Amino acid sequence: MNKIIGILGGMGPVATIDTMEKIIKNTPAVCDQEHIPVIAVSFPDIPDRTANILTGGESTLNNMLVALKVLETAGAGCIIMPCNTAHYWYEKLKATTGIHFLNIIEITCNKIVNERINNIAILATTGTIKAGLYQDRLRKEKVDFVVPDDIQQKRVMESIFAYKSGDGERAYLLLESVITQLENMGVERFIMGCSEIPVILSHCDNKDRYIDATEELVKRAVEWFYFG
Amino acid sequence: MNKIIGILGGMGPVATIDTMEKIIKNTPAVCDQEHIPVIAVSFPDIPDRTANILTGGESTLNNMLVALKVLETAGAGCIIMPCNTAHYWYEKLKATTGIHFLNIIEITCNKIVNERINNIAILATTGTIKAGLYQDRLRKEKVDFVVPDDIQQKRVMESIFAYKSGDGERAYLLLESVITQLENMGVERFIMGCSEIPVILSHCDNKDRYIDATEELVKRAVEWFYFG
């Protein structure tokens, strides 16, 4: 059996597809057979991650463990989870498996630190922000970053839920308004720290201003496939 | 565990993504949790189906059986295989599993027969055409159809391989030239009888002239999810 990338997905389903597209885009294949074997488990019934972080309630972890078990049994050799917020449970998930499990937050922060990127804003769910998933590492590395204020953050979250509800246009307008405000405050680069965000902004020009966490995660997974 | 759609995919990987997008498009969901659980096994190393039908050689069936087993073990309740040519082995695959396994050729032909569609051309791989996968049923039902002549068929196949090699523009031009010729001969509707074709023609207007086999397959799978 060849090496297989396992996607612990469905959070949301479109972000899973975006991840699969990015795997293809980052693979130098000229026929089907040169592409990377992938198993995507897209179980969208995993309870909302932000709600679970903020208020407890229905367990998110148990559902993710079911999906992880499916990938493990199916023979995945490297797990990626294209949901930043779900990385709140990363250590617990990782502790249950012997499979190589990439961490989207760590990989994205590594890029920022290595490339000495500064004047960054974190665009992410309220769960990711409140849990400090990005901030802890960036603070430690003395990266100059901001998070949206409460009103802006509420709008980012509205944008993400609008997209998940099928209203891509509203999602784009809400997010773009926050981005413009932050740019006017001097922000130069934006972490797309929620896997819906690259999809919401997929028709956007000016790709250089974004650090796409999903893309960074996928690049590392493709490296794993080729180089171990 | 909820009902899960299993995709026996990777033939090619982009067609698998197209299938997943069509599942989302055909699902009336307004949040992540309302979407349909999907497991996609995208093992692109399955040897070329047309080559295997035309000249024998490396077994395609064994690789497909591996993927089917993964879906079975993972708990899929309904299998779809977004590769028309692979349906050459449909009966053999189906015989190995107790899981509900939809047939893209049968479902697409049902639509054509039920809606009394005529003046059709079959756009498919040379493997699908040579095996008569669509022709046998359509002939039996007295549907008025044509297949591309040898020169046109060679161009259809070149288009499909161009797409798989990453050259979407060339793929489009090759296929469009065949479609134009067939339209000039009086063809009114086209079966997109290869799962790469809806992707090659994704930016095309005039959707009404196509019968998208992948879309018909997905609609039946979504019906299975909701109505059993």
Side-chain angles (χ1 to χ4, degrees):
Chain A
M1 176 77 78
N2 277 331
K3 288 163 94 175
I4 300 167
I5 295 176
I7 303 177
L8 203 168
M11 303 179 280
V14 177
T16 300
I17 291 175
D18 183 50
T19 305
M20 294 171 81
E21 282 175 341
K22 282 171 174 153
I23 292 175
I24 292 173
K25 197 185 86 181
N26 283 284
T27 305
V30 296
C31 64
D32 283 358
Q33 291 72 22
E34 290 180 10
H35 280 280
I36 297 175
V38 170
I39 298 173
V41 171
S42 183
F43 288 171
D45 53 346
I46 296 176
D48 184 68
R49 283 64 65 192
T50 286
N52 200 211
I53 291 172
L54 298 185
T55 60
E58 210 183 345
S59 168
T60 296
L61 181 61
N62 288 346
N63 290 53
M64 291 192 285
L65 285 170
V66 170
L68 180 57
K69 197 74 199 164
V70 169
L71 290 170
E72 196 165 357
T73 308
C78 174
I79 306 286
I80 56 178
M81 181 165 66
C83 173
N84 292 258
T85 319
H87 281 69
Y88 179 73
W89 294 273
Y90 172 80
E91 292 298 340
K92 286 187 179 162
L93 287 163
K94 190 174 155 63
T96 69
T97 180
I99 307 176
H100 191 49
F101 194 149
L102 297 176
N103 182 321
I104 195 170
I105 312 283
E106 187 187 318
I107 288 166
T108 307
C109 287
N110 285 349
K111 179 189 167 77
I112 291 165
V113 171
N114 293 341
E115 299 183 10
R116 298 171 192 275
I117 302 171
N118 269 292
N119 293 324
I120 309 174
I122 306 169
L123 300 175
T125 64
T126 304
T128 298
I129 298 288
K130 290 285 183 200
L133 295 184
Y134 277 98
Q135 298 97 303
D136 291 351
R137 170 82 187 281
L138 295 181
R139 205 170 284 128
K140 211 167 108 188
E141 303 277 2
K142 300 196 185 346
V143 172
D144 190 16
F145 70 90
V146 295
V147 294
D149 67 27
D150 287 352
I151 295 169
Q152 290 164 341
Q153 183 57 38
K154 196 162 165 273
R155 213 175 292 165
V156 171
M157 207 59 204
E158 271 177 43
S159 163
I160 293 166
F161 279 121
Y163 190 83
K164 286 178 188 291
S165 81
D167 192 347
E169 177 64 18
R170 183 156 171 267
Y172 172 76
L173 293 173
L174 281 163
L175 194 56
E176 191 57 36
S177 73
V178 174
I179 289 168
T180 304
Q181 282 187 6
L182 290 166
E183 278 192 318
N184 290 342
M185 284 168 52
V187 169
E188 291 170 356
R189 302 287 293 276
F190 296 85
I191 302 176
M192 288 170 153
C194 163
S195 55
E196 307 291 337
I197 291 180
V199 199
I200 295 170
L201 298 177
S202 62
H203 299 298
C204 244
D205 295 331
N206 203 355
K207 300 277 181 208
D208 285 349
R209 68 178 173 181
Y210 300 110
I211 299 142
D212 180 347
T214 309
E215 179 101 28
E216 297 309 316
L217 178 69
V218 163
K219 281 184 187 164
R220 274 294 301 122
V222 171
E223 276 172 34
W224 165 83
F225 179 78
Y226 287 111
F227 309 113
Chain B
M1 178 77 77
N2 276 334
K3 288 163 95 175
I4 299 167
I5 294 176
I7 303 177
L8 203 169
M11 304 179 280
V14 177
T16 300
I17 290 175
D18 182 51
T19 305
M20 294 171 81
E21 282 175 344
K22 282 171 173 152
I23 292 174
I24 292 173
K25 197 186 87 180
N26 283 283
T27 304
V30 296
C31 65
D32 283 357
Q33 291 71 26
E34 290 180 11
H35 279 281
I36 297 176
V38 170
I39 298 174
V41 172
S42 182
F43 287 173
D45 53 347
I46 296 176
D48 185 67
R49 282 65 64 191
T50 285
N52 200 211
I53 291 172
L54 299 185
T55 61
E58 209 183 346
S59 168
T60 295
L61 181 62
N62 288 346
N63 290 55
M64 289 192 285
L65 286 170
V66 171
L68 180 56
K69 198 73 199 161
V70 169
L71 290 170
E72 197 166 357
T73 308
C78 174
I79 306 286
I80 57 177
M81 182 164 66
C83 173
N84 292 258
T85 319
H87 281 68
Y88 179 73
W89 294 274
Y90 171 79
E91 292 299 340
K92 286 188 178 162
L93 287 163
K94 191 175 154 63
T96 69
T97 179
I99 305 176
H100 191 48
F101 194 150
L102 297 176
N103 183 322
I104 195 170
I105 311 284
E106 186 188 320
I107 289 167
T108 307
C109 287
N110 284 350
K111 180 191 166 75
I112 291 166
V113 171
N114 293 340
E115 298 184 10
R116 299 169 190 278
I117 302 171
N118 270 293
N119 294 323
I120 309 175
I122 305 169
L123 300 175
T125 65
T126 305
T128 298
I129 298 288
K130 291 284 182 201
L133 295 184
Y134 277 100
Q135 297 97 303
D136 291 350
R137 170 83 189 280
L138 296 180
R139 204 170 284 127
K140 211 167 109 188
E141 303 276 4
K142 302 196 184 339
V143 173
D144 190 16
F145 71 90
V146 294
V147 295
D149 67 27
D150 288 351
I151 295 170
Q152 289 165 340
Q153 183 56 38
K154 196 162 165 274
R155 213 175 294 162
V156 171
M157 207 59 203
E158 270 177 43
S159 163
I160 293 166
F161 279 122
Y163 191 83
K164 286 178 188 290
S165 81
D167 192 347
E169 179 64 18
R170 184 158 170 266
Y172 171 76
L173 293 172
L174 282 162
L175 194 56
E176 192 57 35
S177 74
V178 175
I179 289 168
T180 304
Q181 282 186 7
L182 290 167
E183 277 192 320
N184 290 341
M185 286 167 52
V187 169
E188 290 170 356
R189 303 286 293 275
F190 296 86
I191 301 177
M192 289 170 153
C194 163
S195 56
E196 305 291 338
I197 292 181
V199 199
I200 295 170
L201 299 176
S202 62
H203 298 298
C204 244
D205 295 331
N206 203 356
K207 299 276 179 209
D208 286 350
R209 67 179 174 181
Y210 300 110
I211 299 143
D212 179 346
T214 309
E215 179 100 29
E216 296 310 315
L217 179 69
V218 163
K219 281 183 187 165
R220 274 296 300 122
V222 171
E223 276 172 35
W224 166 83
F225 179 78
Y226 286 112
F227 309 114

